[in-house]
Amino acid sequence: MIQRDAQMPPQNTSWQRQLATAIRTPEELCDMLDLHKDVISGSHAPTHAFPFLVTRSFVSRIHKGDPHDPLLLQILPRDLEEQNVPGFVADPLEENASLTAPGLIQKYAGRALLMLTSACAINCRYCFRRAFPYADNGVQTSKLDEALDEISRTRSIHEIILSGGDPLLVSDERLQSILHRLSDIPHWRRLRIHTRLPVVLPERVTDTLVTMLARTRLTTTVVIHANHAQELDHTVEKAMLQLRRSHSLLLNQSVLLRGINDSANVLAELSERLLEIGVIPYYLHLLDRVSGTSHFEVDRQTAEQIHETLRNQLPGYAVPRLAQEVPGAPAKHWIG
């Protein structure tokens, strides 16, 4: 298991200072939310394997005193994570087998995923990379050249997906340097950024970041990750308004999670809110079966029923595609 945490960049911006004050223990979270300590009984063992981490901005949207709050349940460690459930493994997507260079994963034709960092600003308990061996697979800066050389050699790659961890945890300066190097590769046409930071730390959407994306020659897409409408407060709305100035396509992907958003009404509210702030609902993923996450799983039949109800409630463009990632498949599997 990895010991993943936010790696602190120099604290010279508002978002970096806020990241430095992130909450790192369930006890502190309970104190902030007026929750009884019974809520975290049995939560200590999971935090040793997969550290607890959440931004104060995200916590501010959790309802005080409610142990069943849908945002709280995404971040609160539980002893259920220690269960050994058949079918739940460390690498459910077999990403290690798809590594073509340090930090570079190519599973699908025409695009590759570049992991810029192992760090996140929030450790979601259902994370499919919670056990990914980052230290052995070269996401560190010293190995970046190998990944960029592989991208340059592979002319069939037209799109790079920046991921991690969360790629927006790197500084604007470092991100600018990476984009300059990538933009010099002539067969590279599109940039996609998969990030949760605009949701959990909206201040990360800086003027510098927006200008950087607006000026690149590449077609850019920013895919955020929100699972519940409650996550999308006015600070996130402001961040999305800023990102729209970059002329990037804005998409959202969610994970279907038991007890959090496994309801057509909850998902419809999420889609409506996303559209209000200028984001297109993109994917609704079935849970990737990583060890420690079985208590979040919604079975496929129930997922299909929820999705069908959702289709009957919303216009087509507001309905995310129900999808499952299958190891070794040439593309994500669309369900229904």
Side-chain angles (χ1 to χ4, degrees), residues 30 33-34 41 61 82 88 167 170 245 254 265 267 274 280 282 298 319:
C30 283
L33 295 175
D34 298 332
S41 61
R61 301 165 221 165
E82 295 301 290
F88 285 77
V170 306
R245 290 174 31 226
S254 307
N265 289 337
L267 291 170
L274 286 166
I280 298 171
Y282 175 39
V298 177
V319 181

Side-chain angles (χ1 to χ4, degrees), residues 9-295:
Q11 297 168 26
N12 56 4
T13 69
S14 172
W15 72 268
Q16 289 165 331
R17 289 192 295 271
Q18 291 198 40
L19 183 61
T21 65
I23 300 165
R24 299 172 184 277
T25 67
E27 292 82 0
E28 184 180 2
L29 180 71
C30 283
D31 288 341
M32 290 185 66
L33 295 175
D34 298 332
L35 291 169
H36 195 277
K37 291 298 189 295
D38 287 349
V39 171
I40 59 171
S41 61
S43 70
H44 297 281
T47 62
H48 292 308
F50 184 51
F52 177 85
L53 180 68
V54 61
T55 62
R56 293 175 184 272
S57 176
F58 192 81
V59 171
S60 71
R61 301 165 221 165
I62 298 175
H63 295 135
K64 285 190 173 183
D66 181 4
H68 305 293
D69 183 277
L71 276 59
L72 175 68
L73 295 179
Q74 295 181 51
I75 61 170
L76 188 67
R78 284 178 275 180
D79 53 7
L80 292 169
E81 296 179 30
E82 295 301 290
Q83 294 180 340
N84 186 12
V85 179
F88 285 77
V89 297
D91 184 13
L93 304 183
E94 299 178 5
E95 289 191 318
N96 281 320
S98 301
L99 284 160
T100 59
L104 187 68
I105 294 175
Q106 187 171 15
K107 294 185 286 187
Y108 304 138
R111 53 217 188 265
L113 185 147
L114 181 62
M115 294 188 292
L116 295 187
T117 177
S118 64
C120 284
I122 178 173
N123 283 352
C124 303
R125 306 315 298 181
Y126 54 86
C127 177
F128 72 95
R129 288 203 185 112
R130 57 183 286 162
F132 188 83
Y134 289 98
D136 300 328
N137 289 292
V139 296
Q140 63 268 39
T141 303
S142 60
K143 297 291 185 70
L144 183 61
D145 286 344
E146 293 182 48
L148 294 178
D149 287 345
E150 178 64 21
I151 294 169
S152 183
R153 285 192 298 267
T154 310
R155 298 186 62 81
S156 61
I157 296 177
H158 305 301
E159 178 177 25
I160 291 298
I161 302 165
L162 300 185
S163 184
D166 198 305
L168 290 190
L169 266 187
V170 306
S171 67
D172 284 333
E173 292 75 18
R174 183 177 176 223
L175 188 60
Q176 180 75 79
S177 174
I178 292 168
L179 291 188
H180 276 156
R181 295 180 67 181
L182 287 168
S183 64
D184 288 338
I185 301 172
H187 57 266
W188 189 50
R189 303 173 190 164
R190 294 184 300 276
L191 167 70
R192 199 189 326 168
I193 301 175
H194 282 212
T195 176
R196 192 140 160 76
L197 255 68
V199 175
V200 303
L201 190 63
E203 294 81 4
R204 177 60 187 94
V205 182
T206 62
D207 290 339
T208 302
L209 175 65
V210 170
T211 300
M212 186 190 316
L213 297 178
R215 289 180 177 174
T216 179
R217 68 170 178 84
L218 304 155
T219 301
T220 60
T221 300
V222 178
V223 184
I224 65 167
H225 175 188
N227 298 312
H228 196 283
Q230 189 177 318
E231 299 177 40
L232 305 175
D233 69 354
H234 68 283
T235 63
V236 179
E237 182 173 8
K238 180 182 177 182
M240 293 302 103
L241 181 62
Q242 288 178 279
L243 277 174
R244 287 164 66 183
R245 290 174 31 226
S246 73
H247 311 297
S248 298
L249 177 64
L250 303 182
L251 306 175
N252 180 70
Q253 57 182 0
S254 307
V255 180
L256 188 60
L257 300 166
R258 187 197 308 173
I260 294 171
N261 61 5
D262 54 339
S263 155
N265 289 337
V266 170
L267 291 170
E269 185 180 2
L270 171 60
S271 285
E272 296 279 12
R273 179 57 176 153
L274 286 166
L275 293 172
E276 282 180 0
I277 63 176
V279 181
I280 298 171
Y282 175 39
Y283 273 134
L284 175 63
H285 290 279
L286 296 190
L287 183 77
D288 294 318
R289 306 185 91 204
V290 68
S291 302
T293 66
S294 60
H295 53 292

